Amino acid sequence: MNATILLVAAIQGLLLSFALIMKKSPGRNANVYFSIILILFSLELIFAWGGETGYNNRKGAFPTWLLLSYLVLPPSIWLFFKHNTVIQFKFKPVHLLLYLPAILEITIRLLQKYTDAGTALATITKSPYWFFYSEWLPLIATIVVLIMLARNIDSITRQFKGNANPSVRQHMMKMYSIFLFFCLLTLLWIMVTVFNNRLFIIIEAIFTGLFFLLGYIAFFKPDLFDMPKLFHSKKKHTGEFASYDDEAIFLQLTMLFEQDKIYTQPKLTVKEVADELALPAEYVSYLINAYACPG
C-alpha cells in the first residue's frame, strides 16, 4: 500500500480516536474502548509506514512501535461488547487491571530504550518468554475473548428470537457485523503469526477502510452503539398486567410518538396516550418508566 495513504490514514485514525474519547457522554463508554482499538490500529499503520519509507531505521526517529501493544486488544474487545450486550454492565476501576499486561509491556520497552537498565532488560525482551508474552499471549487471549463473546451473543440471540422490534434487530446486526470483523481480523492474525503468511497488505487495507469508516459513523452518530430501550426492562410488571406483551405494546407506543407525532398535541397526558392504545393509563405509565426512561 502507498506509504502516503498509510500515514494519512494513521493520522486520521488517531485524530478520530481522540475525538471519540472527548465526545464521550454518560452511558456511552463503548466509544472509549472502540477508540483504544482504533489507536492500536493507527499505530500499526504508522509502523507499516515507517517500514515502507525507512523511517523506522533512521537515527533519532520517534519510536512509535514502542507503544504498540496488542495486549490492549482482548480487554478492549471484551469491554466493548459487554457494554453493548449487557445493559447492567458498568465500568469498574477493577477493569483497569485488564490493561496491566499491556502497560507492563510498554513500560519495559520504554525503560529499555531510555534508561540505564536497557542492557539488563534486553535479556528479558530477547527471551522466548517475552516473545510468547508480547506475540502469542494477546492472540490467545483474543481467541478466548471471542469464544466467550460468541456464547454471549448466541444466548442473546435465542433470548430475542422472534422479536419484531426493528431497533433490537438493527442493534444485533451491528454486533454480529463487528464480531465477524474481529473474527476475520483474528484469522488473518493467526495466519501471520502461526503460518508466517505475508498478509500485511490485506490487514492494512482492512484497518484503513472498514474500521475507520465505522469510526467516522460513530463520531457523527454518537448513539450508534446504544442499546435499544427494549433490550432489557428494568422490571417486570406483575399482577393484572402480567399477561401483556410489553415489547409489542411498547413498539406501538413508540410508533405513536415517532410516526403519528402525538406529542404535538397540547398538554398531552398519559391518559390520552393510553386511550389512543386502548390500554389502562397505569400500564402505559409503567411502559414509559421501564423502557423509555434512562437509568
Side-chain angles (χ1 to χ4, degrees):
M1 186 176 290
N2 184 274
T4 303
I5 295 177
L6 288 173
L7 182 60
V8 171
I11 293 174
Q12 287 187 15
L14 290 174
L15 293 175
L16 178 60
S17 302
F18 296 130
L20 282 172
I21 292 174
M22 296 301 295
K23 202 172 184 178
K24 183 183 77 71
S25 57
R28 289 178 182 162
N29 289 326
N31 282 352
V32 174
Y33 309 119
F34 188 88
S35 299
I36 293 173
I37 299 171
L38 194 54
I39 290 173
L40 176 66
F41 289 176
S42 299
L43 291 174
E44 175 65 36
L45 290 178
I46 291 176
F47 182 71
W49 166 82
E52 290 283 338
T53 61
Y55 174 83
N56 293 344
N57 298 321
R58 291 179 190 173
K59 185 177 180 180
F62 180 75
T64 54
W65 56 90
L66 296 181
L67 306 176
L68 190 60
S69 174
Y70 295 106
L71 287 166
V72 304
L73 197 57
S76 298
I77 294 175
W78 186 76
L79 289 168
F80 173 81
F81 276 94
K82 282 296 182 179
H83 272 285
N84 281 286
T85 56
V86 181
I87 201 167
Q88 306 98 327
F89 188 83
K90 301 294 183 183
F91 176 81
K92 299 177 181 178
V94 69
H95 290 141
L96 291 174
L97 296 176
L98 297 173
Y99 289 98
L100 277 182
I103 294 172
L104 178 61
E105 179 186 2
I106 294 172
T107 300
I108 290 177
R109 285 178 175 175
L110 291 173
L111 290 175
Q112 181 184 356
K113 177 74 176 180
Y114 293 110
T115 69
D116 296 334
T119 304
L121 291 173
T123 59
I124 296 176
T125 57
K126 292 180 180 179
S127 71
Y129 299 106
W130 180 261
F131 181 81
F132 174 83
Y133 182 81
S134 60
E135 298 293 336
W136 283 96
L137 182 59
L139 175 57
I140 294 171
T142 299
I143 294 172
V144 171
V145 165
L146 290 175
I147 292 173
M148 293 170 59
L149 291 175
R151 297 176 60 183
N152 179 238
I153 291 175
D154 178 66
S155 175
I156 294 172
T157 301
R158 285 187 278 105
Q159 178 184 349
F160 289 96
K161 186 177 181 180
N163 191 301
N165 186 271
S167 61
V168 172
R169 293 202 307 269
Q170 290 172 7
H171 182 76
M172 290 310 301
M173 284 303 298
K174 284 185 284 189
M175 292 301 101
Y176 295 148
S177 300
I178 297 173
F179 178 77
L180 289 175
F181 171 81
F182 282 118
C183 288
L184 173 61
L185 188 63
T186 303
L187 179 61
L188 293 174
W189 190 1
I190 291 172
M191 295 181 72
V192 170
T193 304
V194 179
F195 302 106
N196 200 30
N197 282 2
R198 304 295 293 180
L199 296 172
F200 296 113
I201 298 299
I202 298 176
I203 296 174
E204 291 162 7
I206 293 175
F207 289 170
T208 306
L210 296 179
F211 215 72
F212 286 178
L213 175 62
L214 189 59
Y216 277 108
I217 294 174
F219 177 75
F220 290 107
K221 190 179 179 183
D223 62 347
L224 175 67
F225 302 126
D226 285 5
M227 284 187 290
K229 302 300 182 184
L230 287 180
F231 210 68
H232 188 276
S233 172
K234 290 183 291 186
K235 58 180 179 179
K236 274 294 182 184
H237 203 289
T238 56
E240 59 180 309
F241 302 132
S243 61
Y244 282 79
D245 187 340
D246 289 359
E247 296 182 355
I249 296 175
F250 184 76
L251 178 57
Q252 297 177 26
L253 179 63
T254 301
M255 294 174 64
L256 191 63
F257 277 85
E258 293 182 353
Q259 296 184 11
D260 299 339
K261 301 187 185 304
I262 192 175
Y263 58 83
T264 58
Q265 296 182 17
K267 299 182 180 179
L268 182 68
T269 65
V270 174
K271 178 70 167 60
E272 291 171 336
V273 174
D275 290 343
E276 287 287 335
L277 297 172
L279 292 168
E282 180 190 357
Y283 179 65
V284 172
S285 178
Y286 149 73
L287 285 179
I288 294 172
N289 290 326
Y291 291 100
C293 296

